[in-house]
Amino acid sequence: QVQLVESGGGLVQAGGSLRLSCAASGSIFSTNAMGWYRQAPGKQRDLVAMFTGSGSPNYADSVKGRFTISRDNAKNTVYLQMNNLKPEDTAVYYCTAWSLRVYWGQGTQVTVSS
């Protein structure tokens, strides 16, 4: 069993920055895939950034150059640094971890005002 707790969302003006954190507990290891998805109102949940367990992380094209995912394996925590935020980044951001099954956090709201 894996538990994921996100933090760091909030309201920010366009051009601003936020840093999301996701602390994992339970049966999660440095080789497990972890990352972030987001879901805007009325839309499907989409990939933002993801460590897939090997090589460099994957990013959605819309966030490349603005968002950076990082991971502290000693703390079982994954971060998402979001810079130059745009109104279209407004969504609920979900942390995910892939172990024997896919786990999701409760989500954290990010709102970017224009």
Side-chain angles (χ1 to χ4, degrees), residues 5-53:
V5 179
E6 301 120 330
S7 60
L11 172 65
V12 65
Q13 289 188 329
S17 298
L18 284 174
R19 188 193 194 205
L20 305 183
S21 299
C22 173
S25 60
S27 300
I28 192 73
F29 304 97
S30 60
T31 54
N32 288 121
M34 284 190 71
W36 297 90
Y37 278 64
R38 67 186 180 186
Q39 188 168 19
K43 296 189 176 181
Q44 67 181 20
R45 192 173 296 187
D46 290 326
L47 171 72
V48 177
M50 193 82 187
F51 286 107
T52 56

Side-chain angles (χ1 to χ4, degrees), residues 11-15 85-88 90 111-114:
L11 172 65
V12 65
Q13 289 188 329
L85 282 159
K86 304 176 180 180
E88 51 264 42
T90 294
T111 303
V112 185
S113 63
S114 57

Side-chain angles (χ1 to χ4, degrees), residues 49-67:
M50 193 82 187
F51 286 107
T52 56
S54 61
S56 300
N58 296 322
Y59 291 94
D61 287 342
S62 59
V63 308
K64 285 180 181 177
R66 301 188 298 122
F67 291 11

Side-chain angles (χ1 to χ4, degrees), residues 2 25 71 80 85 100 110:
V2 174
S25 60
R71 186 169 184 170
L80 185 67
L85 282 159
L100 295 178
V110 172

